Amino acid sequence: MSVKNLTDTLETETDYKTLFEKSAMGMAIIEADNTISLANKRVAQLLKTDLPTILKSSLCDWISDVDKERLKEYRKQVAQQSENTPENYEFRLVCQDKSINWALVNLTLFQDSGKILLSVLNISKLKETEKKLKEAISSQNAIFLAVPDLMFELDSHGVYLNIWANNPEELAATKEQLLGHTVAQMLPNEAAKQVMVAIRDTKEKGHSFGRQIHIQTPHGKQWFELSISLKHNEDTADTFIVLSRNISDRKELETELIHLSRHDALTGLYNRRVLEDRLTKDIQRASRYSVPLSICMLDIDHFKGVNDTYGHQVGDRVLKRLAKLLEELLRTTDYTARYGGEEFLVVLPDTDLSSAKEFAKRLRIKVEEMQIELENAEPFQITVSIGVSTFGKEASSLDKIIDLADSAMYLAKRSGRNRVISFDSN
């Protein structure tokens, strides 16, 4: 607000008219009774009418109903020469054709006459741009809210510039802790390395997809997959928009599927395919380096009777107990698999036939001592028949060494079960 003496400002009527007519702004004189006594053509253009219609009308006639109270308050502040009066107010003006124009209004009080000089600038286009900008921001925010993934804006050095997180518990740290710091400072070394490699890829190609990182969050370690695009900025260096999708469930499923593809679903031991792959490699190693290699084929005696007497659930429990016992007895270099049904195969690298037979005998005794607990009945025991074979002239391939062990096992069954029989292939 400014307060002037009218005679000090305008020395002649010519000056007065020139000020009005040449001004790039709309200007008008408001009398004490709120009527408009003088206005220039800019005001007429703004209100989409002619000067005669404007003159003698009230300023309130052109102000929208929603802004009239604000106008009264503004005039009151001007009249009281309040220090807190804003220099300008935004008002909606109702034009002659009932359309609305936004105007930036300034009121200046002339002390000698009590009149007010109205200065007005059409800001309709500015308001329309502002409206569109707000709508764009609102749409952008709606998109961010609809995206469950984490989003970041990083610079070329990996500094966190902006963070959008609908699930902040998935962040490696709080927003406040991350902003202004680099990924190298806030993420594990390997994760930070993957982010920076993705940024370099994006610099070259404009985008990067599929890189995965593993980080610690308040909910434990989580896997994320990164999608990065290049953001071109007008006045600053290009930045990078990073979409970080939590794929922990997918990774867990992938791990489970990989495990299932390699292991028996019931016992957790290697399946037959994996065992044969590993055994083939061990046979090649035994041949190349002339080192011993033995295997044990074992079968649960009278297993059909277990299923018939106690049911298949108890039969499954027997298989799992035997698998656990095998894992407990094996060395770190040994391995075992469920070969089929109630048959198991144990591979003993760097083990000659004599040592393999000793292992098989200990295993047979441990199995015989094992108690199978039941809920509503007395525990029972099982026995196994074991066939042992070793790599040599008669067992120089996968099929042959397994066939020899299998034959030895069936001979053990025919000989009365619960015993160990071996074949020397040399």
Side-chain angles (χ1 to χ4, degrees):
M1 179 194 74
S2 57
V3 179
K4 299 289 184 183
N5 186 294
L6 184 59
T7 56
D8 291 343
T9 305
L10 304 172
E11 296 182 356
T12 67
E13 186 176 344
T14 301
D15 291 338
Y16 194 80
K17 290 182 178 179
T18 299
L19 173 65
F20 268 65
E21 294 305 323
K22 299 295 184 181
S23 175
M25 298 180 64
M27 300 185 72
I29 293 296
I30 310 299
E31 300 296 330
D33 62 359
N34 212 37
T35 59
I36 301 174
S37 58
L38 188 64
N40 66 3
K41 61 182 179 181
R42 297 288 184 185
V43 176
Q45 292 170 354
L46 179 61
L47 298 176
K48 300 181 182 180
T49 187
D50 51 38
L51 287 174
T53 301
I54 295 174
L55 298 177
K56 302 304 179 183
S57 67
S58 169
L59 176 58
C60 288
D61 295 339
W62 305 100
I63 298 291
S64 69
D65 291 340
V66 294
D67 289 335
K68 283 180 179 177
E69 287 300 319
R70 291 176 59 244
L71 176 63
K72 289 180 182 178
E73 180 62 26
Y74 187 25
R75 286 209 57 174
K76 181 180 177 181
Q77 290 175 333
V78 171
Q80 293 175 348
Q81 302 180 29
S82 171
E83 293 182 358
N84 297 324
T85 305
E87 289 189 3
N88 302 293
Y89 258 105
E90 293 179 0
F91 291 103
R92 281 157 284 202
L93 302 181
V94 182
C95 303
Q96 184 71 28
D97 62 1
K98 304 304 180 183
S99 62
I100 300 293
N101 269 332
W102 276 92
L104 188 66
V105 174
N106 173 270
L107 300 180
T108 302
L109 175 67
F110 290 102
Q111 288 179 319
D112 57 347
S113 65
K115 297 180 180 183
I116 289 179
L117 174 65
L118 168 73
S119 302
V120 58
L121 183 65
N122 190 343
I123 59 170
S124 296
K125 290 184 178 180
L126 179 62
K127 294 296 285 187
E128 182 64 24
T129 301
E130 183 182 289
K131 177 184 176 183
K132 290 180 179 178
L133 180 60
K134 287 182 178 179
E135 289 175 350
I137 293 173
S138 178
S139 297
Q140 185 183 60
N141 289 336
I143 292 172
F144 288 152
L145 289 174
V147 174
D149 307 317
L150 302 175
M151 291 184 68
F152 307 93
E153 183 176 2
L154 307 177
D155 69 10
S156 59
H157 301 292
V159 175
Y160 291 95
L161 303 177
N162 284 303
I163 299 172
W164 299 270
N166 290 327
N167 300 308
E169 67 276 4
E170 293 184 347
L171 294 170
T174 66
K175 290 183 182 180
E176 293 73 20
Q177 290 170 328
L178 292 172
L179 288 171
H181 293 87
T182 66
V183 293
Q185 293 171 318
M186 305 305 298
L187 300 181
N189 290 339
E190 182 57 31
K193 177 183 176 182
Q194 290 299 318
V195 174
M196 296 309 298
V197 169
I199 285 177
R200 287 195 292 272
D201 289 345
T202 305
K203 282 182 181 180
E204 297 175 4
K205 305 173 186 176
H207 58 78
S208 175
F209 304 110
R211 290 197 175 273
Q212 298 178 359
I213 61 174
H214 197 203
I215 65 172
Q216 181 69 42
T217 74
H219 283 189
K221 286 194 172 183
Q222 303 281 309
W223 280 96
F224 295 89
E225 188 171 78
L226 306 179
S227 299
I228 305 183
S229 61
L230 189 62
K231 178 187 174 189
H232 296 290
N233 300 308
E234 294 247 348
D235 301 322
T236 59
D238 291 343
T239 51
F240 302 85
I241 299 299
V242 181
L243 185 72
S244 181
R245 173 161 296 174
N246 191 325
I247 59 167
S248 299
D249 290 343
R250 192 180 89 192
K251 292 291 287 188
E252 184 177 345
L253 179 60
E254 288 175 358
T255 301
E256 183 178 350
L257 290 174
I258 291 172
H259 180 83
L260 288 175
S261 72
R262 295 174 55 84
H263 295 78
D264 174 58
L266 178 64
T267 64
L269 301 180
Y270 282 137
N271 59 29
R272 182 169 176 170
R273 178 183 61 80
V274 174
L275 178 131
E276 290 181 346
D277 287 344
R278 286 197 63 176
L279 181 53
T280 297
K281 293 175 182 176
D282 279 329
I283 290 172
Q284 292 170 350
R285 175 175 172 270
S287 176
R288 183 180 302 116
Y289 299 109
S290 298
V291 293
L293 170 66
S294 298
I295 67 170
C296 300
M297 179 75 79
L298 58 141
D299 183 270
I300 301 174
D301 296 328
H302 302 295
F303 186 69
K304 183 178 182 300
V306 173
N307 284 330
D308 291 345
T309 303
Y310 301 105
H312 287 280
Q313 286 188 337
V314 173
D316 288 347
R317 192 189 311 168
V318 169
L319 293 172
K320 289 191 284 187
R321 284 289 307 277
L322 179 55
K324 183 179 179 182
L325 177 64
L326 287 171
E327 289 184 316
E328 290 172 353
L329 294 177
L330 296 183
R331 302 168 302 180
T332 56
T333 55
D334 304 332
Y335 52 96
T336 183
R338 184 182 178 190
Y339 200 68
E342 64 270 25
E343 291 183 344
F344 294 79
L345 193 148
V346 177
V347 180
L348 305 169
D350 301 309
T351 305
D352 59 22
L353 183 62
S354 175
S355 298
K357 286 169 62 178
E358 289 300 318
F359 167 81
K361 290 175 182 178
R362 290 197 308 273
L363 172 60
R364 184 195 65 77
I365 294 170
K366 288 289 186 182
V367 172
E368 190 176 25
E369 294 173 347
M370 185 171 64
Q371 296 284 320
I372 307 300
E373 302 290 340
L374 297 175
E375 292 183 3
N376 300 313
E378 291 295 321
F380 68 95
Q381 286 124 319
I382 62 170
T383 61
V384 291
S385 297
I386 305 175
V388 182
S389 67
T390 187
F391 173 79
K393 294 177 182 178
E394 299 298 323
S396 58
S397 68
L398 174 72
D399 291 340
K400 289 180 178 179
I401 194 172
I402 290 178
D403 284 345
L404 279 179
D406 191 53
S407 297
M409 179 193 71
Y410 276 101
L411 182 57
K413 282 187 171 293
R414 290 194 299 270
S415 301
R417 296 183 173 85
N418 190 24
R419 63 192 60 210
V420 176
I421 290 183
S422 63
F423 280 153
D424 189 344
S425 60
N426 293 300

